[in-house]
Amino acid sequence: VTFGFVDENQKHYAVDRFRETSEQISVSLERIVKRTEDSLSSITAFFAGSDNATRDQFRIFVTTAMSDRVGIQALEWIPRVSGSDREAFERAARTDGLKEFTFRQIGDGGMVPASRRAEYYPVYYVEPLAKNEKALGFDLASNQIRKSALELARDTGAMVSSARITLVQESAKQAGVVVFAPIYSDGKIPKTL
């Protein structure tokens, strides 16, 4: 009888501890997600208030925005570039100091030049740059998971998270997600695609 009583107490204690720990984790994750959304909203406002934000302005702004952000590996600006503008965009990026900038995608053995497409979404600004250099030029339209989330954000005007992915700048198979916040040239969500 004593063993049965102790066993029941242990089970209740374990269940209570599990619930308590789960609630704490849930609250922590909600806070991280909220801070991530706040960072993205700040960047959206930054670009809305700037005619042509430079790489240095982006770095300074994002460094401040990320100073207390746990769980964010990088903040990026990803322009939409038509296929016909690809070469001019790549040249302009190299003139802007990115000496070997080219649109890239994941291929056999690593990163390869991006295939020809109607449009591209290359990573153009990324902060912090250290440990994230590999992401520069990566065309998010070359990966279906990223592209689906990106297009949903573009079409709805809402922040959208991707399904689970491995970031291109990771050296291990660490899982992550990408959260997209669309920025429109006139500041308004277009009425049509």
Side-chain angles (χ1 to χ4, degrees), residues 138-155:
F138 176 65
D139 175 27
L140 280 76
S142 68
N143 173 270
Q144 191 55 48
I145 293 172
R146 290 170 175 88
K147 183 180 179 189
S148 294
L150 192 145
E151 289 176 341
L152 184 59
R154 176 198 67 195
D155 298 347

Side-chain angles (χ1 to χ4, degrees), residues 37-159:
E37 289 175 350
D38 290 346
S39 293
L40 291 176
S41 293
S42 295
I43 291 172
T44 301
F46 169 73
F47 273 97
S50 173
D51 286 337
N52 192 14
T54 67
R55 188 172 307 283
D56 284 338
Q57 290 169 333
F58 181 78
R59 180 184 45 74
I60 291 165
F61 183 83
V62 168
T63 300
T64 303
M66 286 186 69
S67 63
D68 66 342
R69 302 300 189 231
V70 175
I72 299 176
Q73 178 161 335
L75 292 171
E76 303 170 346
W77 179 63
I78 302 154
R80 180 178 176 190
V81 179
S82 70
S84 61
D85 291 336
R86 174 183 175 167
E87 290 177 16
F89 193 92
E90 289 173 330
R91 274 193 308 276
R94 289 190 286 271
T95 301
D96 191 30
L98 302 174
K99 300 297 181 207
E100 298 182 28
F101 185 88
T102 186
F103 293 4
R104 300 172 302 126
Q105 66 187 43
I106 299 170
D108 292 337
M111 296 293 247
V112 298
S115 302
R116 294 286 169 196
R117 284 188 261 295
E119 63 183 14
Y120 301 89
Y121 293 91
V123 174
Y124 191 60
Y125 294 167
V126 60
E127 289 298 332
L129 184 57
K131 297 184 181 177
N132 291 302
E133 299 95 337
K134 195 173 178 183
L136 279 171
F138 176 65
D139 175 27
L140 280 76
S142 68
N143 173 270
Q144 191 55 48
I145 293 172
R146 290 170 175 88
K147 183 180 179 189
S148 294
L150 192 145
E151 289 176 341
L152 184 59
R154 176 198 67 195
D155 298 347
T156 63
M159 280 188 213

